[in-house]
Amino acid sequence: MTDGDAYAAPRAIGAPLSRLDGHAKTTGTARYAYEQPLSEPAYLHAVQATVAVGRITAIDTEAAEAVPGVLAVLTHHNAPRLSDTDDAELAILQSAEVGFRGQVIGGVVATSSETARYAASLVRATYDERPHDVELRADRHDLFAPEIVNGGFLTDTAQGDVDKALASAAVTVDQSYATAMYHNNPMEPHSTVALWSDDRLTLYDSTQSVHMVRDTVAPLFGLAPEQVRVISPHVGGGFGSKGTPHAQVVLATMAALRVPGRAVKLALTRQQMFFLAGYRTPTLQHVRLGADREGRLSAISVDAVSQTSRIKEFAEQTAVPARFMYAARHRRTTHRVARLDVPVPSWMRAPGECPGMFAGEVAMDELAVACGLDPVELRIRNEPERDPETGRPFSSRNLVACLREGARRFGWERRAPEPRARREGDWLVGLGVASSVYPVLWLPGSRATIRVGATGRYTVSIGAADLGTGTWTALTQIAADALEVPVEQVELRIGDTDLPRATVAGGSSGITCWGSAIVHTARQLRDIYGAAPAWGAEATGETGDNPATERYAMYAFGAQFAEVRVHADTGEVRVPRLLGVFAAGRVINPRTATSQLVGGMTMGLSMALHEQSHFDTRLGQVANHDLAEYHIATHADVGSIEASWLEEEDPHVNPMGSKGIGEIGIVGTAAAVANAAYHATGVRIRELPITLDTFLTD
């Protein structure tokens, strides 16, 4: 692909096509991982550690093994030895060591799921328990700087002299902000079905990347890649938690090796997912801004602190958005991490940008108040002409247009300049705004094959994943336009390692990478066989490199607006309206795009008002580890939620001109709600979630 290379005369892209997989899902015929129709499957239930750190001194499996229907009980004494134990999260049952409460220390295989679960409850372990350390604080003496943070970003950056610029600034903001620990809770739990037969391992896995699962599992068990097949045609949500394999895939494979020729089904319970499926680390952020009286920034400083597991490092890129969001000559960002005796954190929708932009956008609201400026105007005044970090021009940057269009549609001109100025009965009413951003990621390595069938239909094959985001539909639309045929003539095949390799469905990069591979392959087919290829014609292509990524800074942008009502006597919070206006390149399918953006905004609302994993430091575990007590937003939490976008042309990002939309919707939503709550009450929110006691002050 070359810079600006785009195909002409699209017919399917931009059409609000109904989901092509919708009928199968609504009729129950779409098969998810656990639902694969396999004859006489066995069932697996994990046994978990009940101490936060220590060593198993004895493990009694006799009672479990005596239960009728139990086929095998796995512990560190008899589990298969892994060929590679460098990844401690996956190196389960390899030793007696316990690194966190809830770690897998065994598994029971039985003829029914009920039997497996009951027998697992009979396994008794005794421990040499050691003191645990699970408390994240910004003043810890043992915070360390990771070599890199998630995404391959530099840990620390510095330009100019931040301290001097802050000292001489006419207006400053110097505050600390906190976001909670959050757990992904996709509707479909993490599930794996494993079958070992004829020296070949088949995994039906709920994953965001079948090829990543194969690339991980094969070397762990000393298998060649061709000995492992991973199948995942439908995934019931992932949000990052299914982006990398977790321990349940390894446990299911171990169990399958113990009962060869028989499929073993494992679905984590909702409670187990709070220990074994990753989570977003809590963050502590110290933000300092310096500006002149007109609100033009001279200095930006963000110091971010997060946690990681002692057994495996993961550092979220929390401070990265501050490097490019607004213009300022002097800037500094740092990341520091605490190693704790906790489960392993991982990806959660918009890692880095989501928690980082909460702190940054609330700080910008505080700066607007300090300068006596409208918050929308403050952001516009600090619009950079080029990427402040790299100096590259933006491939397209329409944040200002999003802010202005959002303000117009939201009725921003009626907003009172002072907080606590509008009251309707017992309710204090305020309006808030925040910016959104998410990078356009280009991941080379996706391949596609297109073959012409006997009836003239085109079979398009690529090992992509559909997490419920609309991949089945969007890729079919891209293929139809690239081949210049109606959508009905395209048959898409995805979700299988027997198909050409595809990159992970993560970082809002899926359509960019997979769609580019399909477009390139369609061109190959046309170049070789002409406009009317005969039956049996076939071509394969891949994404390759995009040289424009070295010349341009590529991001999607947006503006989030919120109306918040706070009850003057009780502190109860209501959000009657949310509006998001985005600039995300060419929209492939308006129907599925709206779904994604509204979904992201709903998660942002949930982050603002409800979500918080309460960590019990005495036990070393999340106390509210189920959906009865881990609260998420519902329909009653918002009156109107609306997502829209600007028409944006960007020929540099990929052949379709599209940008990712799966994650930008969540970025900025919580900040907009918090800023609106301040405008309603005069009480500044710097820690999430927003609880009613925050407002019950003198």
Side-chain angles (χ1 to χ4, degrees):
M1 172 186 159
T2 59
D3 184 13
D5 194 9
Y7 56 89
R11 295 182 299 274
I13 289 180
L17 190 65
S18 296
R19 292 175 184 262
L20 299 179
D21 53 332
H23 182 268
K25 287 180 175 178
T26 54
T27 57
T29 57
R31 300 288 186 184
Y32 292 83
Y34 196 79
E35 300 171 330
Q36 298 301 318
L38 301 165
S39 61
E40 296 186 12
Y43 296 85
L44 173 62
H45 194 84
V47 180
Q48 296 174 272
T50 56
V51 300
V53 62
R55 184 176 179 84
I56 301 170
T57 56
I59 187 162
D60 183 357
T61 62
E62 186 175 351
E65 291 169 335
V67 174
V70 168
L71 304 176
V73 179
L74 292 162
T75 70
H76 66 280
H77 292 303
N78 64 355
R81 298 297 94 184
L82 298 177
S83 299
D84 184 350
T85 58
D86 288 344
D87 187 332
E89 180 189 6
L90 303 180
I92 59 171
L93 309 187
Q94 300 302 289
S95 76
E97 291 296 317
V98 174
F100 60 89
R101 184 181 290 268
Q103 179 179 320
V104 173
I105 62 168
V108 175
V109 186
T111 54
S112 72
S113 59
E114 295 82 2
T115 300
R117 187 166 186 166
Y118 170 66
S121 73
L122 302 179
V123 176
R124 295 288 181 265
T126 55
Y127 306 90
D128 175 14
E129 186 175 0
R130 297 192 291 269
H132 59 267
D133 180 4
V134 296
E135 188 175 359
L136 178 64
R137 302 188 317 275
D139 62 352
R140 290 181 64 105
H141 71 278
D142 58 349
L143 296 176
F144 72 96
E147 289 188 17
I148 58 173
V149 295
N150 181 51
F153 296 102
L154 293 174
T155 301
D156 299 343
T157 59
Q159 297 176 356
D161 190 332
V162 168
D163 293 331
K164 183 177 179 180
L166 287 168
S168 62
V171 182
T172 59
V173 171
D174 187 336
Q175 296 292 347
S176 295
Y177 306 85
T179 59
M181 173 188 286
Y182 307 114
H183 278 79
N184 282 303
N185 274 285
M187 186 169 292
E188 179 199 17
H190 289 240
S191 306
T192 305
V193 179
L195 172 63
W196 175 254
S197 180
D198 298 325
D199 290 330
R200 184 174 173 86
L201 175 66
T202 301
L203 296 172
Y204 299 92
D205 192 50
S206 183
T207 177
Q208 294 173 220
S209 173
V210 290
H211 288 94
M212 185 179 291
V213 171
R214 184 181 69 179
D215 292 348
T216 300
V217 170
L220 282 179
F221 290 90
L223 301 174
E226 56 269 21
Q227 288 181 271
V228 180
R229 183 184 182 188
V230 184
I231 303 170
S232 183
H234 299 285
V235 180
F239 314 110
S241 68
K242 297 175 182 175
T244 58
H246 297 292
Q248 93 279 350
V249 180
V250 180
L251 184 63
T253 301
M254 288 177 167
L257 292 171
R258 289 293 304 273
V259 289
R262 189 166 189 173
V264 177
K265 292 190 171 187
L266 169 61
L268 295 185
T269 66
R270 187 63 62 182
Q271 292 83 0
Q272 288 173 337
M273 286 171 57
F274 280 79
F275 298 92
L276 300 173
Y279 59 93
R280 193 196 301 283
T281 171
T283 72
L284 305 171
Q285 302 175 58
H286 182 203
V287 179
R288 295 184 296 164
L289 304 177
D292 61 20
R293 291 290 178 190
E294 287 70 43
R296 290 180 175 84
L297 285 163
S298 58
I300 299 173
S301 174
V302 179
D303 299 305
V305 176
S306 63
Q307 73 183 38
T308 190
S309 174
R310 202 175 300 278
I311 69 168
K312 181 179 179 179
E313 183 177 312
F314 177 87
E316 185 145 344
Q317 68 274 33
T318 311
V320 166
R323 298 175 184 175
F324 57 80
M325 194 63 204
Y326 298 112
R329 284 188 60 193
H330 308 277
R331 57 183 65 239
R332 180 171 63 212
T333 63
T334 69
H335 294 86
R336 297 295 179 265
V337 181
R339 285 194 182 95
L340 303 176
D341 301 311
V342 295
V344 180
S346 185
W347 300 339
M348 187 172 181
R349 202 172 202 171
E353 282 75 14
C354 181
M357 288 289 282
F358 167 73
E361 289 302 295
V362 174
M364 287 292 285
D365 201 69
E366 297 202 56
L367 182 63
V369 172
C371 294
L373 284 173
D374 178 88
V376 170
E377 176 60 27
L378 176 75
R379 287 164 172 81
I380 292 173
R381 289 188 184 186
N382 288 285
E383 175 73 0
E385 293 182 2
R386 288 174 171 260
D387 181 358
E389 183 179 28
T390 66
R392 296 171 182 165
F394 292 96
S395 63
S396 57
R397 180 179 168 116
N398 285 301
L399 174 59
V400 170
C402 290
L403 288 164
R404 287 178 170 155
E405 175 63 13
R408 183 191 67 79
R409 294 180 57 175
F410 204 65
W412 189 258
E413 74 280 359
R414 298 191 297 273
R415 179 182 184 268
E418 299 296 327
R420 206 178 172 90
R422 180 180 167 192
R423 180 164 179 160
E424 297 181 4
D426 292 331
W427 296 89
L428 304 172
V429 183
L431 304 183
V433 65
S435 298
S436 299
V437 68
Y438 202 78
V440 179
L441 300 181
W442 181 272
L443 305 177
S446 290
R447 296 172 61 85
T449 296
I450 299 178
R451 191 173 192 277
V452 182
T455 61
R457 286 172 57 83
Y458 294 81
T459 300
V460 179
S461 302
I462 185 169
D466 192 324
L467 316 183
T469 53
T471 298
W472 281 102
T473 309
L475 289 186
T476 300
Q477 290 175 268
I478 290 169
D481 278 4
L483 293 165
E484 300 181 0
V485 298
V487 166
E488 293 75 19
Q489 281 187 241
V490 176
E491 178 185 352
L492 183 69
R493 300 170 64 213
I494 63 172
D496 193 331
T497 51
D498 277 1
L499 304 176
R501 171 175 288 275
T503 51
V504 64
S508 298
S509 66
I511 295 300
T512 289
C513 300
W514 310 329
S516 298
I518 289 172
V519 171
H520 181 65
T521 304
R523 291 174 179 163
Q524 293 274 87
L525 188 72
R526 294 297 192 200
D527 290 345
I528 297 171
Y529 299 102
W535 170 72
E538 182 175 302
T540 298
E542 61 182 287
T543 51
D545 295 322
N546 181 0
T549 60
E550 300 298 320
R551 301 198 300 273
Y552 295 96
M554 300 179 177
Y555 298 93
F557 291 94
Q560 305 266 13
F561 292 82
E563 178 183 330
V564 165
R565 296 175 176 237
V566 179
H567 196 280
D569 297 323
T570 68
E572 180 184 355
V573 181
R574 286 282 181 255
V575 183
R577 291 191 296 151
L578 283 178
L579 168 68
V581 178
F582 303 94
R586 175 185 281 170
V587 172
I588 304 297
N589 184 315
R591 189 188 299 259
T592 57
T594 299
S595 175
Q596 282 296 286
L597 293 171
V598 168
M601 293 171 67
T602 304
M603 287 185 73
L605 175 67
S606 199
M607 173 183 175
L609 299 184
H610 300 299
E611 288 193 53
Q612 182 177 21
S613 300
H614 294 276
F615 207 82
D616 187 332
T617 57
R618 300 166 304 160
L619 297 177
Q621 71 172 41
V622 174
N624 57 328
H625 56 288
D626 57 41
L627 288 184
E629 295 181 276
Y630 183 90
H631 293 167
I632 59 175
T634 66
H635 288 292
D637 287 304
V638 63
S640 168
I641 182 166
E642 182 182 355
S644 63
W645 51 85
L646 307 177
E647 295 297 325
E648 183 178 69
E649 293 293 330
D650 191 331
H652 309 294
V653 287
N654 56 55
M656 300 81 64
S658 63
K659 298 179 180 178
I661 56 173
E663 291 167 279
I664 193 173
I666 192 176
V667 179
T669 308
V673 173
N675 293 338
Y678 166 79
H679 186 242
T681 65
V683 178
R684 178 59 68 184
I685 307 298
R686 300 189 182 98
E687 182 174 353
L688 295 178
I690 303 169
T691 52
L692 59 86
D693 57 294
T694 304
F695 305 106
L696 301 181
T697 64
D698 293 336

